[in-house]
Structure formats: structure tokens, C-alpha cells
Amino acid sequence: MAESTALDTLLEMGFDRNRAEKALVNTGNQGIDRAMDWLMEHENDPDIDEPYVPPKGNVLGAGGTESTPPPDSSAEGNAEGSPEGQDKRPLTEEEKLEQVRRLEQLMREKQREREEREREAEVQREKERRRQGQELLQVRQRLQDEQMRKLAEERLREKMEDKMAKQRVRDKIARDRAERALKFGGGADSSSPPVEAVPSSSVPPVAQGAPPAKKDYDECRIQVRLLDGSALCAVFRCQEPLAAVRVYVQLNGGGPDEFSLLTPYPRRLFTEEDMEKPLTELGLVPSAVLVVAKK
């Protein structure tokens, strides 16, 4: 029968019997092309190599219908002499070879199509990876810009606070001078010496005004300038040693294996003994700029 010939052809092409039988059954015995398409689509199925068990009353090649009793000899003879019997003749070797070549060509075309789809999928994955990388880079840049903006705002706020503190001191000194002028020079006649001639020792210490209270800081912001011109910024506790800053620079790839730290102005090169001292003792609070130098 034609279906049995298709099964034989698939077996001659090297397909396993289980796969060939399943392909023919699942395609309704509609030809080698349909069976080849099914095999290529289901070649990765976990049960592709399990034996095919046809339902009871069905046989491969019967088109999915129940098997019928074999015809008698006379009918069989008529079938052999009829055109239908001629249609079901076995394929010749040349026909088998031609069909095998055609199927091999079909397999090569299917393989090229699959490789082309895989290449297109790989290109899409690469585009997606690059897009995600660019988005991640933009996020990092925004975070860095935000950090630098906050650092600039903090420094501006500190400068404004220092400026206001100095202005309050100047205002207090001016008020004290005005009070002393009223107290010591307001009731005197024109012949009395000017107030400026009074020795400063005669002025009560309370009238001179107390110095502004020094602000206590818990944290300090350190900016480290690297050898390549870039900079690292971080916040440290005031009681942390200077060695913590050096470790931070090393962990972020900011310097060579051996390097020193110094302040540009006033210029001061920190020694190994300074590394164990807290930042507040080294005068790096509330903020400071350090420079990485090669040893």
C-alpha cells in the first residue's frame, strides 16, 4: 500500500520506526511532505521515541478507520487487474531514490529556514540586551548626577550657614560697640576724651561678646580626586579612621596597589600613622578634598 511505502521510505532515510509511524498517523497518512513537517516540528518532544501503540481495531495505513475483513480471492484478483490495484503498486528503486532526494532537499530547506529564524531571534536578543544596557547606563548616570547635585546643595547650605553665623557675630559686635558708646560716651561733655581712647582693659569682658559655638558634626563628606582626573565622593562617620577612605578608594578601583593621600591646600601628605587617626582629628570635617598620589 502507498502508506506502507511511505513508512518504508522514511525508514530508508534513517528515521526511527517509532518516529516514522507517529508522523504518518498524526498527519493522517497525507504523504511524505506532511510527515516530514511533523517530524521537524516535534523532533524535541519528550515522548517522540516511545513506541506507537495504535488503538484497537486500527492499523497503520488504514486512514484511521476500523479494519475490515480481507477480501476474497476473486475480489483480490479483480483488484489486481483494476486501475486501483495498479495505483497501489510498490515504488521502484529509481522512484524511491528520487523521492529520497526530494525529501533531502526539503529537509535542507527546512533547516535553512530554522537557522534563519534562529539568527533573527539572536539579533533581536542582542538588540534587547543593548537596549537594556543603555537604559541601565542612563539610570546610573541619573543616580550619579543626583548624588552630585545633592552634594553641591549640601555644600551651598553649609556655606550659607557659615556666612549667616559670621554675619550674626558681626551684628553682635556692632551692637556691643553701640552699647559701649552709649554707656561710656553719651553723658560726657565735649572736652572729655573720645570713647576710642578708653583702654580695652576697662571694658567689661561680658560686653565683648562670646565667640560663636562650634557646630558638632556626626558625618563628613570626602571627595577623592583620582590619578586619571575623575573623582569619588562618599560620606563617612567623623570618628572613622582615614584608613576607611583608603579602603573605599581601593574597592572602587580608584588607585594603584600602593598610593598615598594628601590635601591640596594646605598641602599635607598623610603618613601611615595618620591612617589610624579619626577624620575629625585630621581636620577633614565637615568636608574635605583628598588627592591620590603614587608612592
Side-chain angles (χ1 to χ4, degrees):
M1 298 176 67
E3 292 79 0
S4 299
T5 302
L7 176 62
D8 295 337
T9 302
L10 292 174
L11 294 177
E12 290 177 0
M13 294 179 65
F15 288 103
D16 184 74
R17 175 174 290 274
N18 295 329
R19 295 193 178 199
E21 291 178 351
K22 288 182 178 181
L24 292 174
V25 171
N26 285 281
T27 57
N29 295 324
Q30 296 182 9
I32 298 296
D33 294 344
R34 296 291 301 275
M36 290 291 298
D37 292 339
W38 189 92
L39 285 170
M40 297 187 70
E41 293 176 359
H42 297 270
E43 61 180 353
N44 295 322
D45 290 355
D47 59 345
I48 187 66
D49 292 319
E50 295 182 2
Y52 170 70
V53 180
K56 293 182 179 181
N58 288 272
V59 293
L60 180 63
T65 59
E66 294 185 359
S67 60
T68 58
D72 56 14
S73 59
S74 60
E76 191 173 313
N78 293 333
E80 291 178 356
S82 64
E84 295 181 356
Q86 294 177 358
D87 292 341
K88 297 181 180 180
R89 64 178 177 81
L91 297 176
T92 63
E93 292 298 329
E94 291 77 6
E95 291 173 340
K96 288 182 179 180
L97 292 176
E98 178 61 26
Q99 194 169 21
V100 168
R101 284 193 294 269
R102 185 168 60 86
L103 293 177
E104 289 177 350
Q105 178 66 23
L106 178 62
M107 290 181 63
R108 287 193 292 269
E109 292 177 358
K110 295 291 184 179
Q111 182 68 21
R112 285 195 297 269
E113 292 177 359
R114 183 169 58 183
E115 291 176 354
E116 183 65 24
R117 289 195 299 269
E118 291 177 354
R119 282 194 295 269
E120 292 178 357
E122 181 63 26
V123 170
Q124 293 298 327
R125 287 193 294 270
E126 180 65 18
K127 290 182 179 179
E128 183 66 18
R129 185 187 64 81
R130 292 184 179 181
R131 184 186 64 81
Q132 293 178 355
Q134 292 177 355
E135 291 179 354
L136 180 60
L137 183 61
Q138 293 175 358
V139 171
R140 290 179 177 176
Q141 185 64 37
R142 286 197 298 269
L143 292 176
Q144 185 177 4
D145 294 343
E146 183 68 17
Q147 184 179 8
M148 294 300 295
R149 184 185 63 81
K150 291 181 178 180
L151 179 61
E153 292 178 354
E154 181 68 19
R155 290 182 176 176
L156 179 61
R157 183 165 55 253
E158 292 175 355
K159 289 182 180 180
M160 292 299 297
E161 291 177 355
D162 293 341
K163 184 177 180 181
M164 294 175 63
K166 292 179 181 179
Q167 184 62 38
R168 287 194 295 269
V169 172
R170 287 194 291 267
D171 293 343
K172 182 174 179 57
I173 292 175
R175 289 195 300 269
D176 292 342
R177 287 179 178 175
E179 291 176 358
R180 288 197 300 271
L182 292 174
K183 182 176 181 179
F184 296 101
D189 53 15
S190 59
S191 61
S192 61
V195 176
E196 287 75 11
V198 178
S200 59
S201 59
S202 62
V203 180
V206 178
Q208 294 181 0
K214 187 175 181 180
K215 183 177 180 180
D216 293 331
Y217 294 92
D218 295 330
E219 296 179 345
C220 63
R221 182 170 281 101
I222 304 297
Q223 179 182 6
V224 183
R225 296 177 183 173
L226 308 179
L227 296 174
D228 59 359
S230 60
L232 294 174
C233 295
V235 177
F236 299 87
R237 304 292 296 180
C238 294
Q239 298 302 321
E240 287 189 82
L242 183 59
V245 180
R246 181 169 64 180
V247 171
Y248 173 78
V249 175
Q250 291 173 340
L251 292 177
N252 287 272
D257 294 337
E258 296 292 336
F259 63 89
S260 301
L261 295 174
L262 57 90
T263 54
Y265 183 82
R267 184 177 178 85
R268 176 183 177 182
L269 180 63
F270 294 103
T271 63
E272 290 298 328
E273 296 179 357
D274 295 330
M275 293 297 166
E276 304 301 326
K277 297 180 180 179
L279 299 177
T280 181
E281 183 178 338
L282 297 174
L284 303 178
V285 177
S287 62
V289 177
L290 300 178
V291 179
V292 173
K294 292 183 178 179
K295 282 191 176 181

